[in-house]
Amino acid sequence: MEVTIDPLFLAWSYFRRRKLQQCADICTKILQDNPYDQDCSLPISEAAWSLKTRALTEMVYIDEVEVDQEGIAEMMLDESSIAQVTPWNKPGWRTQPVTQSGRPITGFVRPSTQSGRPGTMEQAIKTPRTASTARPVTSASGRFIRLGTASMLTNPDGPFINLSRLNLAKYSQKPNLSRTLFEYIFHHENDVKNALDLAAQATEHAQFKDWWWKVQLGKCYYRLGLYREAEKQFRSALNHQEIVDTYLYLAKVYQRLDQPITALNLFKQGLDHFPGEVTLLTGIARIHEEMNNISSATEYYRDVLKQDNTHVEAIACIGSNHFYTDQPEIALRFYRRLLQMGVYNCQLYNNLGLCCFYAQQYDMTLSSFERALALSTSDEEQADVWYNIGHVAVGIADLTLAYQCFKLALAFNNDHAEAYNNLAVLELRKGRVEQSKAFLQTAASLASHMYEPHFNLSILSEKIGDLQSSYTAAQKAEDAFPEHVDTQQLLKQLRVHFAAI
Amino acid sequence: MPEVKTVFREVLPKKGQLSIEDVPTMILCKPKLLPLKSVTLEKLEKMQMEAQEAVRQQELATKEQLQ
């Protein structure tokens, strides 16, 4: 005798095993047999409907705490104190490469740290695609465009739930359906206004006593840019029930309101209730990192590792910090740890290769880079790996190989300013002054936030006797990195020259 | 076969001034550690790519229907 599983049970089982598409398909079939009606319907179709909304939501679910996309206008008009932190308030960090905004590149990238802040409007529009910004410019101009990807695709059978025909008031009375429906509207349809309507009616139905609905209201307000309203909801939710997530959302609001210190205090309050909570500690570390206070950020990342020794973000950040403070062998241990944990991608192998080389473990260097190249998924990554191999070649004094590597980096990413600069240095060694100068000018125009091309251009111009250009270039280098000693000396020398004339 | 004996001797100047002039040289940009991507970012990128792919498929399908 053949035993068949009850379809709803099977769908539920698929859902738990995260085979979401199969789950949704079975639910669709059940719903075809027992149509779902808002007014009167069988419990089975209600269950199938709810399960399908959950499956569809899970497919596109993104942790809301992590998501923070800013539009161009917000980035440009941002005068918050985190944005105002001048990058050079910490001495000596300039050994570290910087993002477009002149902020040091950290060991980890999240949606909100993707691009840093561009300095000028022009830069904001033209700099979208470098190694650390995978975000195309079109999505930077509006908020949360990417998150609605599921809703932008047209389904051949029409949408699963037609929001405009939904009677939200009725759903808000049914606590067993309203929550899944809310998440579906918020995450899958990306329709914040309707989600807000539903949440408002539901919280009213719950007599303003349900913390969950208050958090959801706060999330909606946050997305709509009503930060003070969001703050009120989150605070009120915390009064009902202490939940880690609420602390995280509230801290996000304060960061957006330009109150990093309040956010820090809030995290510490949260830690009183939830001692050693990893996400709260990470939040503190991130704020310190954004304020360019790398040493205390590292302290907190270490605390994170004491609680959770497989925390990728903490390991990566501490590792990169060690690398750029001249301790590549310690950085190597951190990255090796990541490898042991099963992280397997282009970035990690690239970092391992660099650490191995600078920690004098030459046997592993090239094989790591080979793997990095094999694992790279985009041209930008490929370009960065070739750029780093170029450094290894310079290190072993194989200048021909170095030249080829930097050329390859440019072949993959024609806007790689660092590669242009390094090529210029090599060209000058070959005695090709004009070519070198052209490369330096390209580098300087591509990345005016870097001081190297300006400084090199200044030296080159001084050598060929063009003191005026040398002086202007040196001034630009000084703007980018005021404490650079060689620039200072060069400027002094030039001033003496000019005074003599 | 005559044995070639080459004896290298280090030269250490005992007299005179040993000095190096500090000439500014051109500098290379630093090597670049690549930041690892967070799970959320990876998922976002994957979703974006899948959505783009799906849109392209749909467009292709409608084009074929029109022809």
Side-chain angles (χ1 to χ4, degrees), chain A residues 61-62 66 95 106-109 134 146-147 153-154 324 338 347 350-351 384 387-388 391 421-422 428 456, chain B residues 24-38 40-41 43-45 47-48 51 54-55 58:
Chain A
Y61 183 80
I62 295 284
E66 292 286 309
T95 49
T106 61
F108 200 72
V109 23
R146 280 173 67 166
L147 298 181
L153 293 176
T154 46
Y324 286 118
L338 284 178
Q347 287 88 0
N350 170 71
N351 297 352
D384 280 331
Y387 169 77
N388 287 327
H391 272 283
N421 176 65
N422 292 2
L428 192 71
N456 289 342
Chain B
T25 46
M26 288 174 84
I27 36 178
L28 293 169
C29 285
K30 307 295 175 288
K32 208 161 149 186
L33 283 185
L34 298 181
L36 299 172
K37 287 180 186 167
S38 75
T40 313
L41 186 58
K43 187 166 178 186
L44 269 173
E45 283 180 2
M47 269 165 50
Q48 168 107 344
V55 168
Q58 281 185 358

Side-chain angles (χ1 to χ4, degrees), chain A residues 56 108 149 215 290 379 407 477 495:
Chain A
L56 292 179
F108 200 72
T149 40
V215 173
E290 276 178 34
D379 280 356
K407 277 269 179 195
R495 286 198 185 107

Side-chain angles (χ1 to χ4, degrees), chain B residues 1-60:
Chain B
M1 214 167 117
E3 207 175 310
V4 184
K5 260 193 178 175
T6 46
V7 182
F8 288 108
R9 282 189 162 177
E10 77 254 57
V11 180
L12 288 174
K14 299 263 164 58
K15 283 182 196 168
Q17 194 184 4
L18 188 66
S19 68
I20 301 161
E21 194 187 353
D22 185 21
V23 190
T25 46
M26 288 174 84
I27 36 178
L28 293 169
C29 285
K30 307 295 175 288
K32 208 161 149 186
L33 283 185
L34 298 181
L36 299 172
K37 287 180 186 167
S38 75
V39 177
T40 313
L41 186 58
E42 264 176 18
K43 187 166 178 186
L44 269 173
E45 283 180 2
K46 200 173 135 232
M47 269 165 50
Q48 168 107 344
M49 260 171 55
E50 278 170 3
Q52 271 174 348
E53 186 60 27
V55 168
R56 238 191 30 190
Q57 295 291 344
Q58 281 185 358
E59 277 174 357
L60 275 181

Side-chain angles (χ1 to χ4, degrees), chain A residues 134-150:
Chain A
R135 183 201 303 183
V137 72
T138 42
S139 71
S141 52
R143 310 187 56 190
F144 300 108
I145 288 183
R146 280 173 67 166
L147 298 181
T149 40

Side-chain angles (χ1 to χ4, degrees), chain A residues 424-468:
Chain A
V425 177
L426 295 182
E427 287 285 5
L428 192 71
R429 279 186 66 99
K430 290 184 179 175
R432 289 187 228 159
V433 179
E434 282 308 311
Q435 183 69 312
S436 172
K437 200 171 165 186
F439 280 145
L440 283 177
Q441 277 164 346
T442 318
S445 68
L446 280 174
S448 50
H449 61 278
M450 296 194 319
Y451 75 98
E452 290 97 339
H454 296 303
F455 176 72
N456 289 342
L457 197 58
S458 171
I459 288 180
L460 185 65
S461 308
E462 199 240 10
K463 266 188 193 149
I464 56 177
D466 185 355
L467 296 188
Q468 186 58 45

